[in-house]
Amino acid sequence: MLRLCGLIAVFLVAIFTAFDASADRRVALVIGNSEYREIPALKNPDKDADDVSKTFRLAGFEVFVAKDLTKLRFEEQFRNYLAAADGADLSVVYYSGHGFQIGGENFLIPVDASLKNAADIEVQAVKLNDVLQQLRAKSKIQVIILDACRNNPFPRKDYWLRDQLITAGNTGLAQVKSSLNTLIAFATEPGAVAYDGAGDLSPFSSAFSRRALAPNQEIRTVMAAVRRDVVEATDGKQVPWENSSLIDEVVLMRRTSRPSLPPVLEKVVPSGVGPVALDLPEPVDVDGGAITVSIERPPAFGHLLLDGKAVAVGQPIQGKDLPRLQMDIPKGNAAQDEVDMLAYATHDNWGGQTQGILVFRVRSGEGAQGERIVASLETEQKQQVLERGIHITGAAEAIENREISVPVGVGPVSLKLDFPTKDPAVSLKLASYPATGTLSLPDRALSPESSLMADEVDQLRYEPQIGAAEPVEVGFEIRAASSSSKPATMKLSPSVDPCDQAAGEPLDLQGVVPGLLPNEIGASAVEACEAAVKAYPDVPRFRYELGRALLAAGKLDEAKKAIGEAAKKGHVRALYELGYLYTTGTRVAVDQQKANAFFAAASDKGDPYGMMAWGRSLFNGIGVERDTSKGLDLLLKAAAMGHTYAMNALAEIFTEGRNGVTADQARAVAFLEAGVQRQDMYSMNLLGRNYLYGQGIEKNPQTALALFRRATALGQPFAPSHLARMYRDGVGVERDLAEAQRLFEMGTMRGDQFGAMDRAALETQKGDKADQAIAVRFLAFAAALDFRNQLPEARVNLAKFGTKAKTAALKQLRGELKSKLPVSGSLDDQLVGAARRAWEEANPRRDVF
């Protein structure tokens, strides 16, 4: 008996010595661009994307799938992907489509690219190095796989690249220098062309999908196998190539889980009654593979049988057959209450192994007592079958038709299914995996072929995919040994927190919504975000959005505190916002050097706002030694992420040719058109000006008029005055001084000092009918709004008016104020101060525009 206990202890040690398990975050973006609009379509990328995305799902990745992306759709999808990849262990981008090189820089081509003009490459294509830099800022390990090494299909041969016109390469992609822990794989060697192949898939994608599914293979081994396959398939014409600086091992299809079994079972087995069912539960491979079983230690007192045939030590049997295993203890082979043991091992396809033990007590099956034992076992077996049927039914009812709302962007959320059984014989196989998002357990991600045990169901989690709004279905097949299975389906609905809806910010690479501009944040945002911070204290995004809401509400001290806390907890956009507080002097002293430090930190982490602000400071030498080249590069990177403020800044640079950068009106127009595509009111206003005066584009007053009207409707501060001048001068419209006057006044109250100046001039041009107090009023506004000292003549002209007109204007302005303004300084100073206060009260948010 002691020897038996010792053997059990040895097996228990083996059972409870487990592999280290952790649900690493692994995220993949798979892009297939086939349906090009301006150039020949490609036949394979669409199906390549389907095949490769399925591969990554089977490997347990969260997968973003995107097909036929325009430039705008790429920006949107890539931002959502980056938000999901934030803090990931491994981020992967797989791209199949057109791509080519210019001056050693590789570009991926969206389906709407025309690339007819020299500046188009900057606003229509995607620079591979920008993609890589963003991934480096987000994840521990980066892998980029490119099936894009095709001929350059565009007739134009030279394009702007930073500050130079560069000739495009005709074939293939250029070699890329990877940073630490990065692998970049190409469908063929640098400068060579990859083939579409004769089948539905390209030779490269087909080989990758097949080889990547090999379990527990390091990615460099996988890519070597891919290379062999492609070389063979193309008769040596195409040789895949990769550049690796990996220091960590990357395994795509990890299979470290062991088949699931209860460690120790107990049973009474009667002797002398023939074969008796052992009722061993069917082992389950949680990764979905087949399982075999072998007997490691047979029982000492009887024989094992399967379907009437003896089972020998080490003989493999199928895992599904284990519940039919029987034991026959001949009469007299063991004494009454003798203890015996059966030890067996389960094996999966990937080398995983689990030990199972059945400890049984031998009882005699003879006489009345034996009959009772046999009857009891039969009753127990029937009861077990009945109970397992009840368990399966109850389990199906716990899942079937459940609708669960799951918040987006807060990590994996427990589904809290309150599963009614922990019977080790009950398991659930995924019959349908959610179309988006990921299912996981605390120790592992689940894939479409995964199974989980009954005692794991209460730990089941779901993380919705950022940017996906539609409900998804999850189907299970609930099974138990010797019982029929039952299907069950539940629905999971992604939900966006009210704080995100009320105060989310555009281009926030840790955000989950398109976002709102500051002047679009409503009064209810503070309450919504306070609730979110309380519910999710470890999600720094909500603290930052609370800070935005507090800024909009004018609670500046509280806002600064919330933004600072968000920055400390890792929210990158909060770093930029702290810099903006120092730039504008909001509850802190103006300090451009401190502002630049925050801008640089945000830029280094890939934030487009940070890149824009830091790039502008470097380009213009604002609070830092000028670095035109680096500043221009950062502005271009921010624009590539869809940041329209960067596009507008670049348009100004290329319009004027600043700091040694060549002036190019057409290049400026290209960036403004890109901004208009993204519904930016500033771009609309600036492009309207180009059409009005024929700068870089053919003069067209009607198009200018339409752009100014769109910008005015969106709240742009300077567009109303541009419209006013067209009505004043009869350019593109019938002359209408009353409409011009109305629009100048609208522009003034939005903060346009030039509009205020023109409104004053319009009044004085009325001659004897002019209202001198009105002219004084708008000259005061012009001076009050001239923050950059661009209109010194406003003060000069104001000084020319008499005391009577000034006194009347001042009385009117004071009457409009909500609070009293101290009387100090000259009459002109009082007028300017009152105008400034009137404008501030009409526009209470420091960041309205």
Side-chain angles (χ1 to χ4, degrees):
M1 186 67 191
L2 287 174
R3 184 169 178 268
L4 177 63
C5 292
L7 284 170
I8 293 175
V10 170
F11 276 98
L12 287 176
V13 169
I15 290 165
F16 293 114
T17 303
F19 293 113
D20 289 335
S22 61
D24 289 347
R25 294 192 59 240
R26 308 193 303 165
V27 189
L29 170 62
V30 179
I31 300 171
N33 280 354
S34 291
E35 298 299 325
Y36 284 88
R37 302 172 186 177
E38 302 285 337
I39 55 177
L42 297 171
K43 69 172 185 175
N44 292 130
D46 183 278
K47 292 185 173 66
D48 288 343
D50 286 337
D51 198 55
V52 172
S53 62
K54 180 181 178 181
T55 297
F56 281 118
R57 278 192 177 277
L58 287 170
F61 280 73
E62 178 180 1
V63 183
F64 288 72
V65 185
K67 295 182 180 180
D68 296 329
L69 292 180
T70 63
K71 179 60 164 63
L72 266 68
R73 284 282 295 145
F74 175 85
E75 291 170 11
E76 178 185 343
Q77 288 280 350
F78 191 50
R79 285 195 296 269
N80 289 337
Y81 165 70
L82 288 175
D86 190 38
D89 297 276
L90 172 61
S91 59
V92 177
V93 172
Y94 193 108
Y95 175 82
S96 181
H98 274 299
F100 63 88
Q101 60 170 299
I102 302 173
E105 291 274 11
N106 294 316
F107 289 86
L108 312 180
I109 310 302
V111 296
D112 61 338
S114 62
L115 302 186
K116 295 176 181 177
N117 301 310
D120 287 348
I121 196 73
E122 298 173 311
V123 295
Q124 294 183 14
V126 177
K127 189 185 295 185
L128 177 61
N129 196 47
D130 288 348
V131 172
L132 181 55
Q133 285 190 3
Q134 286 289 346
L135 296 187
R136 289 169 184 160
K138 290 288 185 179
S139 58
K140 179 182 177 183
I141 304 170
Q142 305 82 44
V143 171
I144 296 181
I145 304 172
L146 301 169
D147 193 358
C149 313
R150 295 171 170 87
N151 280 319
N152 178 2
F154 297 99
R156 187 178 183 93
K157 296 305 177 188
D158 61 332
Y159 297 97
W160 280 111
L161 200 61
R162 298 181 185 87
D163 56 351
Q164 298 181 50
L165 278 170
I166 304 292
T167 300
N170 288 322
T171 59
L173 296 176
Q175 184 171 348
V176 179
K177 183 179 179 181
S178 61
S179 62
L180 195 63
N181 243 4
T182 298
L183 182 141
I184 305 169
F186 295 85
T188 192
E189 58 196 320
V193 175
Y195 296 90
D196 281 341
D200 288 339
L201 302 175
S202 74
F204 180 75
S205 291
S206 176
F208 176 80
S209 290
R210 182 172 61 255
R211 293 297 185 177
L213 291 174
N216 300 324
Q217 293 290 306
E218 210 278 331
I219 192 169
R220 285 160 286 196
T221 302
V222 169
M223 297 313 299
V226 170
R227 185 159 37 250
R228 288 192 294 271
D229 289 354
V230 173
V231 168
E232 181 179 348
T234 62
D235 294 326
K237 296 175 183 177
Q238 181 176 332
V239 182
W241 172 89
E242 64 267 359
N243 181 25
S244 172
S245 60
L246 294 176
I247 59 173
D248 290 319
E249 189 174 75
V250 174
V251 175
L252 298 179
M253 182 65 81
R254 292 183 297 190
R255 288 293 180 257
T256 57
S257 298
R258 299 176 177 191
S260 183
L261 277 178
V264 179
L265 296 171
E266 297 180 2
K267 189 174 182 66
V268 172
V269 179
S271 62
V273 297
V276 175
L278 295 179
D279 295 322
L280 293 172
E282 179 182 347
V284 175
D285 185 345
V286 296
D287 289 322
I291 295 177
T292 58
V293 179
S294 61
I295 304 303
E296 302 292 302
R297 182 188 184 282
F301 304 127
H303 310 287
L304 294 175
L305 302 171
L306 180 63
D307 299 333
K309 297 180 180 180
V311 178
V313 174
Q315 175 186 338
I317 61 176
Q318 296 300 309
K320 62 183 178 60
D321 295 332
L322 188 62
R324 302 203 310 277
L325 193 67
Q326 296 177 310
M327 184 170 174
D328 182 12
I329 302 180
K331 179 180 177 181
N333 261 28
Q336 180 78 356
D337 287 336
E338 187 79 53
V339 176
D340 202 354
M341 184 185 78
L342 162 67
Y344 58 99
T346 61
H347 312 270
D348 62 23
N349 293 340
W350 305 287
Q353 180 175 309
T354 301
Q355 281 75 37
I357 296 175
L358 173 64
V359 177
F360 54 89
R361 187 178 299 276
V362 179
R363 295 278 177 88
S364 173
E366 297 183 280
Q369 182 181 0
E371 291 177 1
R372 286 194 299 272
I373 293 172
V374 173
S376 175
L377 288 174
E378 291 176 349
T379 301
E380 181 183 327
Q381 188 174 22
K382 291 177 182 178
Q383 181 66 25
Q384 188 178 62
V385 171
L386 178 63
E387 287 180 356
R388 283 179 177 163
I390 294 172
H391 289 165
I392 290 177
T393 301
E397 290 175 352
I399 292 174
E400 183 66 23
N401 297 324
R402 286 281 299 272
E403 292 191 22
I404 303 174
S405 178
V406 186
V408 177
V410 299
V413 177
S414 174
L415 297 181
K416 299 178 180 178
L417 293 176
D418 193 22
F419 207 61
T421 179
K422 298 191 184 304
D423 187 336
V426 176
S427 65
L428 290 80
K429 180 172 179 58
L430 280 167
S432 62
Y433 197 84
T436 58
T438 53
L439 289 170
S440 66
L441 295 168
D443 66 335
R444 67 183 186 274
L446 302 183
S447 76
E449 294 185 350
S450 291
S451 295
L452 58 160
M453 307 307 296
D455 62 355
E456 295 179 308
V457 176
D458 287 342
Q459 301 178 69
L460 187 62
R461 310 180 303 180
Y462 175 68
E463 184 169 5
Q465 189 167 99
I466 293 171
E470 297 300 317
V472 296
E473 288 190 345
V474 185
F476 296 96
E477 180 189 354
I478 306 172
R479 305 177 298 182
S482 69
S483 298
S484 59
S485 64
K486 279 187 177 291
T489 302
M490 64 181 175
K491 185 178 290 185
L492 305 176
S493 298
S495 63
V496 176
D497 192 275
C499 177
D500 289 315
Q501 294 174 331
E505 184 162 28
L507 304 190
D508 185 351
L509 301 188
Q510 292 165 298
V512 300
V513 293
L516 301 173
L517 296 173
N519 57 309
E520 297 172 321
I521 297 174
S524 63
V526 171
E527 183 179 355
C529 290
E530 286 176 338
V533 169
K534 184 177 180 180
Y536 306 103
D538 295 326
V539 179
R541 179 181 77 253
F542 291 131
R543 292 182 187 272
Y544 174 63
E545 290 172 353
L546 173 60
R548 293 193 81 216
L550 290 166
L551 279 176
K555 300 178 180 180
L556 304 184
D557 289 328
E558 294 176 58
K560 181 173 177 286
K561 179 182 177 183
I563 293 167
E565 289 174 347
K568 289 178 182 178
K569 286 182 172 288
H571 196 73
V572 177
R573 180 58 57 80
L575 292 170
Y576 162 81
E577 195 70 35
L578 289 173
Y580 192 66
L581 296 180
Y582 278 101
T583 293
T584 56
T586 303
R587 281 299 188 267
V588 293
V590 172
D591 189 328
Q592 191 61 45
Q593 289 186 337
K594 283 186 178 179
N596 284 341
F598 284 116
F599 293 155
S603 176
D604 289 344
K605 293 182 179 295
D607 179 59
Y609 274 64
M611 289 189 287
M612 180 275 300
W614 181 222
R616 190 166 54 188
S617 291
L618 287 168
F619 186 86
N620 296 303
I622 304 172
V624 66
E625 184 177 351
R626 179 181 294 170
D627 188 335
T628 301
S629 177
K630 185 176 179 180
L632 180 64
D633 191 52
L634 286 172
L635 288 170
L636 288 167
K637 289 180 186 300
M641 292 296 294
H643 192 16
T644 55
Y645 292 5
M647 294 174 187
N648 296 336
L650 289 165
E652 290 185 12
I653 290 170
F654 300 138
T655 295
E656 302 171 7
R658 294 180 183 173
N659 299 342
V661 174
T662 304
D664 188 309
Q665 297 284 350
R667 195 179 186 188
V669 167
F671 278 100
L672 294 178
E673 288 176 335
V676 171
Q677 280 187 304
R678 291 155 182 80
Q679 306 302 312
D680 182 70
M681 60 186 179
Y682 290 96
S683 300
M684 294 173 191
N685 180 64
L686 292 169
L687 185 59
R689 192 176 61 185
N690 283 71
Y691 273 105
L692 184 63
Y693 300 115
Q695 293 179 324
I697 201 165
E698 187 176 348
K699 189 174 182 179
N700 190 327
Q702 291 303 316
T703 302
L705 187 73
L707 286 165
F708 289 145
R709 282 174 172 166
R710 284 176 65 189
T712 296
L714 290 170
Q716 210 278 339
F718 302 106
S721 297
H722 283 304
L723 273 178
R725 294 180 190 102
M726 295 183 76
Y727 279 103
R728 181 193 66 190
D729 302 333
V731 176
V733 291
E734 187 176 344
R735 194 166 186 258
D736 187 338
L737 293 180
E739 180 65 2
Q741 178 176 303
R742 183 186 74 83
L743 289 165
F744 278 136
E745 291 176 2
M746 179 190 293
T748 298
M749 294 318 295
R750 290 183 179 183
D752 181 4
Q753 69 271 34
F754 299 101
M757 190 78 170
D758 283 350
R759 175 63 184 92
L762 194 64
E763 189 64 32
T764 58
Q765 289 167 9
K766 296 178 182 179
D768 294 340
K769 296 181 180 180
D771 187 328
Q772 300 292 312
I774 289 178
V776 166
R777 172 189 178 90
F778 284 97
L779 284 171
F781 272 112
L785 298 171
D786 186 27
F787 303 117
R788 299 181 182 177
N789 298 317
Q790 296 171 300
L791 276 178
E793 60 267 34
R795 282 270 192 173
V796 173
N797 291 346
L798 180 61
K800 295 177 181 178
F801 282 81
T803 302
K804 182 177 179 182
K806 292 179 181 179
T807 302
L810 181 59
K811 182 178 179 181
Q812 185 182 33
L813 282 168
R814 286 183 178 276
E816 296 170 5
L817 297 179
K818 298 174 184 177
S819 58
K820 289 186 177 182
L821 189 68
V823 177
S824 63
S826 67
L827 192 54
D828 285 7
D829 288 341
Q830 292 181 51
L831 275 165
V832 173
R836 176 66 186 271
R837 175 68 68 83
W839 180 79
E840 288 176 343
E841 289 185 354
N843 300 280
R845 300 172 191 165
R846 62 166 185 92
D847 52 358
V848 168
F849 300 113

